[in-house]
Amino acid sequence: MNARITVVAGLVSAVLLAACSSDSDTSVEPLGDRKLRTLGSGDAFLDAVREGLIAQNTASQGNPDYLSSESGDQDSAPVSGDGAASGESGGDTGGESGGEGGVDDSSSGNEVTSTNVQELGVDEQDWVKVNASGDRLYLLNSAYDYYYGPEDGFIGDTLPGEEPLAAGTTLRILQLDADAPDATGLRDLPLSLDGRYAEGFYLYEKDEQTQAIVSASGNSFWAYWSEPAMFGGRDSLITRVDVSDAANASVTATLNLDGQIVSSRRIGKYLFLASRFYPQLPDVQSYQVSADQWREAVNSASATDLLPQYSLDGGANRTALIDPGSCFVSDSASSDHYYSPDIITLSVFDLEAWQFSDNECYLGATETLYASPQAVFLATTQYDYSSGPVAENGGSLSVDDGSFPVDIEWHDPRVDTDIHQFNIDSGQLLYAGSGTVQGHLGWNPLRKPFRMSERDGYLRVATFNDRQGLDESPILLSVLHADGGGELDTVASLPNASEPGFIGKPGEQLYASRFLGDRAYLVTFRQTDPLYIIDLADPLQPAIAGELQIDGYSDYLHPISADYLLGIGKDAVATPGDIGDGRGALVQGVKLSLFNVSNPAAPTEVQSMLVGQRGTESRALSDHRAIVVQSATDDHPARVGFGIDVHGQASPSSSPTGHEATTYHGWNYSGFHGFEIRTGADAGITSRGAMVVESFGDGGDYYHSYADDRAVMVNDSVFYIRGDKVHAAPWDDLANPMPAR
């Protein structure tokens, strides 16, 4: 697609979504039946794939609406986000979850923190892992070269027809000394990924063996999500590295599969992978030939051309990844909607046997994977621009990117989320059903899974409602249950006739959401931070149990105990009346809030703490894995830490007022901040200081590097990883770290 057209299409799509009508009926049921079914034979499935390739090419050439209405993913065309309300960042910049990870209960007797994950027992890949005994740290580092033009400046990591320039991916292995504390490099193992982007890895330990399971796919695939053909020819690589003995660490097995890995989880020895495959015909592209020639090429294509394959250990023999005769399609397809030629495969890979134990597949889309120990759920956003009224101004909207205008007729879209459930049974998958809920899961790929939670066979889902207005609830909560016949039925929702109260105020967006047991905690924001507690004890009768309104908002919620909840987010103050419409807020520094939720009808904020002023940022606000949590013991309260890029004062005594709130402050320093969280009679937050690793005073530079960061704790020692450097310090003396390793 022409780059200029891509820009216009994205702009048109964003405007369409932002211009939704506000007088829609919230009682409208979700769109059409999304139930999956098989077509009865492999040939029929292949015919459906061919139909999709032909129809999609026709649509992209003859229907401008295709560019914005067939994306099937909220990330490709986000609405204006929180900026529409506060003039700040886009809503869902942070998120909802995490924290079920925490301390690894290992036989070593050490308090070792593991990756902060959504569900206990369901591991998530990351670029930093520590072994169960706490004496080995593993870091996955990738460095890339980029093209620069003499006149155009930055071009990117590719030129037409060329692969990304990967300067190298290295797996670092370090020995940890929790007593010192210190880290010693043992091995820097280069990994050959053939130009692919290293997305992360899992650490799988059994008996005396420790394996690093590294996944690599194409870089920046989210940027091209709405252009299916961009996924043609992509493949993914899973590499097993035996790191049991650092000195002899080596690659012992590989898996190469066609398609882009969208997401993955590890449960025990099984790796669950969701991948997206778009058929690419050999020696011909749709834009190179006429429509008739393309139809002929597609109809003569073989099954090998149209279906994903895989190979093990670099072998020349390639095996079909899926059985087309058992693949699904959606019942909702009609003469007006063709099957997408994208093949979504949910795979279960046995890490010990190094082979697939099961694969399920369907024609369609998925943008996220949520997994509990019992089931895997795939979800994607769907738009329908034909279900609402046209614009009152006559239906004409002109968009001009500075080079040419585009006149279109726009409709109020229905935005729904399709969800497919697959139950887990000893490495096998069983399709349980499909359903649709109104609204979408947000824009942050890392946060989408946390909008969902499975408990006792019921799936609870929190979505953001694009149908905004005084008579609309900004946030919707749905409860779904598989009926045993392929339907994932919505059995309850909020608001409803008996519980009509809205979740959120008009114009607010969903920030943090956290499902804990029989409750859901939802944070909305536009000017203040309402924390809603939803009672889900009876999944068929959900109800708003209580609400607390405070300044600022929480991006992330973490359970400290049954009665206390920690919120991590940003401070915010109301926009002065002479700026904007007075309905928004100005975001300030990082804010921690400790909530007492023992009485859900009357939650309270026990204490809050501010770090930094306007301009302060933290990776933890958008990625839950950047937060380390060490649970409370008889010897110490709960410990929580994460990296912060501090601007302005490190510990402001209060929020700014008036026009002071508009001031952006210069960068001060970057480093790991530790906090102790107490519960009970003396509940509160205590700062343990900061492990500063980069500061304005050191180099005199005004700017600093926004490096990704992580942290792990072993007993009373903190190991803070920023970029490719490891810093270590005692919890009780964070201000005096050892030299970086």
Side-chain angles (χ1 to χ4, degrees), residues 119-418:
E119 291 279 357
L120 186 65
V122 182
D123 195 15
E124 301 173 24
Q125 73 173 8
D126 201 6
W127 60 277
V128 172
K129 294 284 184 178
V130 63
N131 66 348
S133 59
D135 63 351
R136 289 288 190 278
L137 183 69
Y138 305 89
L139 281 68
L140 191 64
N141 290 317
S142 295
Y144 289 83
D145 290 334
Y146 294 92
Y147 290 103
Y148 289 85
E151 298 178 355
D152 299 330
F154 175 76
I155 295 176
D157 60 0
T158 61
L159 286 178
E162 295 192 14
E163 293 295 323
L165 290 177
T169 297
T170 301
L171 181 65
R172 293 194 66 196
I173 307 174
L174 298 99
Q175 173 83 29
L176 298 186
D177 182 352
D179 294 329
D182 200 1
T184 303
L186 298 178
R187 180 78 183 278
D188 287 358
L189 179 66
L191 298 179
S192 176
L193 304 179
D194 296 329
R196 300 176 187 87
Y197 176 76
E199 297 170 333
F201 73 105
Y202 295 90
L203 200 64
Y204 178 54
E205 298 179 82
K206 184 179 179 181
D207 300 329
E208 300 300 319
Q209 278 199 322
T210 302
Q211 311 281 353
I213 311 298
V214 182
S215 66
S217 290
N219 193 8
S220 302
F221 69 92
W222 286 107
Y224 305 104
W225 192 262
S226 62
E227 301 176 44
M230 292 295 293
F231 288 78
R234 287 179 180 253
D235 66 352
S236 300
L237 179 69
I238 306 293
T239 301
R240 185 179 69 191
V241 185
D242 188 340
V243 293
S244 306
D245 177 5
N248 296 302
S250 62
V251 174
T252 58
T254 60
L255 162 66
N256 185 282
L257 70 154
D258 293 338
Q260 170 75 49
I261 294 177
V262 177
S263 188
S264 67
R265 295 291 187 273
R266 182 183 69 84
I267 302 176
K269 69 172 184 175
Y270 295 110
L271 184 63
F272 293 81
L273 300 167
S275 60
R276 176 185 183 181
F277 171 79
Y278 186 91
Q280 184 179 58
L281 304 188
D283 304 323
V284 62
Q285 300 290 339
S286 60
Y287 58 83
Q288 296 174 330
V289 296
S290 68
D292 289 340
Q293 290 172 320
W294 176 247
R295 182 180 297 105
E296 181 180 353
V298 170
N299 286 331
S300 61
S302 66
T304 302
D305 296 331
L306 299 175
L307 301 177
Q309 300 181 57
Y310 75 93
S311 62
L312 296 174
D313 303 327
N317 295 328
R318 292 172 56 78
T319 305
L321 179 64
I322 59 176
D323 172 14
S326 63
C327 285
F328 295 98
V329 295
S330 172
D331 276 344
S332 64
S334 67
S335 59
D336 296 327
H337 293 83
Y338 57 82
Y339 292 120
S340 168
D342 293 281
I343 299 175
I344 302 300
T345 304
L346 178 60
S347 303
V348 186
F349 193 76
D350 188 324
L351 296 175
E352 294 179 3
W354 202 249
Q355 64 183 19
F356 288 102
S357 63
D358 200 8
N359 289 291
E360 295 286 354
C361 48
Y362 65 88
L363 285 180
T366 189
E367 65 198 49
T368 192
L369 178 156
Y370 160 71
S372 72
Q374 291 75 39
V376 178
F377 300 83
L378 300 180
T380 195
T381 311
Q382 298 289 351
Y383 300 116
D384 184 350
Y385 288 95
S386 63
S387 62
V390 297
E392 294 181 359
N393 65 2
S396 179
L397 176 67
S398 179
V399 179
D400 192 340
D401 76 335
S403 58
F404 62 91
V406 177
D407 291 314
I408 60 175
E409 184 178 84
W410 64 269
H411 294 257
D412 178 11
R414 278 299 307 279
V415 183
D416 292 339
T417 297
D418 290 351

Side-chain angles (χ1 to χ4, degrees), residues 418-713:
D418 290 351
I419 302 174
H420 307 294
Q421 176 179 340
F422 297 86
N423 292 337
I424 301 171
D425 183 11
S426 301
Q428 298 295 304
L429 297 168
L430 178 64
Y431 173 62
S434 300
T436 301
V437 297
Q438 207 177 322
H440 63 83
L441 301 173
W443 303 278
N444 184 333
L446 290 174
R447 298 306 193 185
K448 292 172 188 276
F450 301 106
R451 305 295 195 198
M452 298 179 280
S453 170
E454 185 271 334
R455 180 176 174 85
D456 298 330
Y458 290 92
L459 177 68
R460 297 86 61 87
V461 186
T463 54
F464 175 68
N465 186 11
D466 269 3
R467 302 167 74 86
Q468 294 284 293
L470 295 176
D471 58 347
E472 305 283 350
S473 176
I475 312 304
L476 306 172
L477 188 136
S478 304
V479 181
L480 298 92
H481 188 268
D483 69 353
E487 303 285 351
L488 196 54
D489 292 331
T490 299
V491 296
S493 61
L494 282 178
N496 57 50
S498 60
E499 294 286 342
F502 288 171
I503 305 174
K505 309 296 189 297
E508 290 182 342
Q509 292 194 27
L510 179 60
Y511 275 64
S513 62
R514 186 66 194 268
F515 293 88
L516 297 170
D518 290 331
R519 293 181 187 175
Y521 298 91
L522 307 177
V523 172
T524 61
F525 176 75
R526 182 174 185 178
Q527 190 175 70
T528 57
D529 174 357
L531 169 67
Y532 291 87
I533 302 179
I534 312 298
D535 183 357
L536 294 166
D538 181 353
L540 302 182
Q541 299 291 332
I544 298 177
E547 175 186 347
L548 173 66
Q549 186 165 296
I550 60 174
D551 292 334
Y553 60 85
S554 295
D555 275 311
Y556 171 81
L557 297 171
H558 191 92
I560 301 301
S561 70
D563 295 333
Y564 290 88
L565 193 67
L566 179 67
I568 301 174
K570 284 289 192 74
D571 183 29
V573 299
T575 303
D578 58 345
I579 299 178
D581 58 11
R583 294 182 297 172
L586 296 168
V587 174
Q588 304 298 311
V590 169
K591 179 182 180 180
L592 287 80
S593 295
L594 182 62
F595 302 106
N596 184 332
V597 294
S598 57
N599 180 3
T604 60
E605 184 184 43
V606 177
Q607 183 186 346
S608 66
M609 181 173 292
L610 304 180
V611 180
Q613 295 178 285
R614 186 167 169 84
T616 298
E617 292 294 342
S618 173
R619 182 73 64 175
L621 303 183
S622 60
D623 189 344
H624 58 284
R625 300 169 302 180
I627 301 171
V628 62
V629 179
Q630 194 176 58
S631 302
T633 68
D634 292 338
D635 298 324
H636 62 75
R639 295 165 170 172
V640 177
F642 52 95
I644 306 177
D645 297 313
V646 175
H647 287 237
Q649 297 179 24
S651 302
S653 58
S654 62
S655 302
T657 58
H659 282 267
E660 293 179 357
T662 66
T663 302
Y664 275 97
H665 295 267
W667 171 66
N668 186 347
Y669 68 86
S670 297
F672 174 88
H673 290 66
F675 306 91
E676 289 184 344
I677 315 299
R678 305 180 309 279
T679 61
D682 67 337
I685 307 171
T686 300
S687 172
R688 299 301 302 184
M691 187 192 312
V692 177
V693 299
E694 187 179 1
S695 65
F696 175 78
D698 288 342
D701 294 331
Y702 184 81
Y703 299 101
H704 65 101
S705 58
Y706 286 97
D708 204 359
D709 59 2
R710 295 291 189 268
V712 300
M713 294 187 64

